[in-house]
């Protein structure tokens, strides 16, 4: 019996995709700005996944993602994630990111300061922000785990590993009504 499914769906920013199984969402993909086959990308990201019609939980996740991308203030916290393959450090980072409300941001360092001591192991404080950034770069659920709401220090954007990079990050923040300093808007 097949346990993994994916579904492509239209949003205000283009075609997105989710993959799921009975334990929750396995992956989310944003529109591919460089083109390519989004279904094939989902098959590579979630081996064994086949196209399918969303069950009630997946349909609810799609509705929430569409609502957020159309400008509604949604936190998507109700969407269950399958974190079976997620490290304790990444789980902790993702939980903090999921608590950032739409329209608000934190820095990598601020996220790092909220991490519980047991997941920090022996990481020197000076590299925690970088470790947070690397964790968010591995995030298989962009939008649902809103890594776009985590910025670099001193008003910098930081990076964004989803298609479109920082341009997509800024687009998502604008949709959510986040305050963006002038340098992030390209005004200087």
């Amino acid at each position: 019996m097949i346990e993994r499914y994916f579904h492509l769906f239209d949003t205000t920013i283009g075609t997105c995709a989710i993959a799921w199984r009975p334990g929750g969402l396995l992956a989310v993909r944003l529109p591919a700005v460089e083109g390519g086959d989004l279904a094939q990308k989902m098959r590579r990201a979630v081996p064994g996944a086949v196209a399918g019609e969303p069950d009630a939980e997946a349909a609810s996740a799609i509705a929430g993602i569409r609502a957020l991308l159309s400008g509604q203030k949604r936190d998507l916290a109700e969407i269950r994630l399958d974190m079976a393959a997620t490290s304790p450090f990444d789980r902790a980072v993702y939980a903090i990111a999921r608590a950032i409300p739409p329209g608000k941001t934190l820095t990598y360092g601020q996220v790092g300061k909220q991490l519980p001591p047991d997941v920090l192991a022996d990481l020197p404080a000076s590299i925690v922000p970088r470790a947070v950034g690397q964790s968010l770069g591995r995030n298989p659920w962009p939008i649902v785990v809103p890594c776009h709401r985590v910025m670099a220090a001193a008003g910098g954007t930081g990076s964004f590993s989803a298609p479109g990079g920082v341009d997509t990050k800024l687009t998502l923040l604008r949709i959510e009504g986040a305050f963006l300093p002038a340098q992030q808007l390209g005004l200087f």
Side-chain angles (χ1 to χ4, degrees):
M1 177 175 209
I2 297 170
E3 290 185 25
R4 298 170 175 220
Y5 302 92
F6 71 89
H7 186 78
L8 279 56
F9 58 98
D10 292 325
T11 72
T12 57
I13 66 167
T15 302
C16 293
I18 65 167
W20 72 95
R21 68 177 178 185
L25 229 57
L26 295 164
V28 174
R29 290 292 177 268
L30 297 175
V33 294
E34 70 283 347
D37 184 348
L38 190 55
Q40 184 60 31
K41 290 177 183 186
M42 285 305 283
R43 286 185 194 98
R44 277 196 306 270
V46 183
V50 297
E53 286 303 309
D55 61 14
E57 194 170 9
S60 178
I62 290 169
I65 293 168
R66 281 181 169 149
L68 179 68
L69 292 175
S70 69
Q72 293 180 29
K73 298 285 186 184
R74 297 286 304 271
D75 66 8
L76 306 178
E78 76 280 2
I79 298 175
R80 192 166 51 120
L81 304 176
D82 184 331
M83 291 196 173
T86 306
S87 74
F89 182 85
D90 288 352
R91 285 177 191 234
V93 169
Y94 300 164
I96 294 165
R98 288 188 91 184
I100 304 169
K104 303 293 182 191
T105 62
L106 291 177
T107 66
Y108 298 109
Q110 289 170 319
V111 171
K113 287 179 181 170
Q114 294 182 41
L115 290 169
D118 63 310
V119 301
L120 291 173
D122 294 324
L123 280 177
S126 63
I127 67 164
V128 170
R130 178 180 293 254
V132 167
Q134 290 170 340
S135 172
L136 293 171
R138 291 187 292 272
N139 172 18
W141 307 281
I143 296 291
V144 179
V145 173
C147 48
H148 62 282
R149 296 180 192 150
V150 183
M151 310 292 279
T157 57
S159 61
F160 193 60
S161 59
V166 171
D167 288 341
T168 298
K169 181 176 196 168
L170 294 175
T171 296
L172 297 173
L173 290 168
R174 283 187 196 100
I175 289 170
E176 294 180 350
F179 171 77
L180 299 173
Q183 68 265 29
Q184 294 172 352
L185 295 172
L187 298 177
F188 46 109

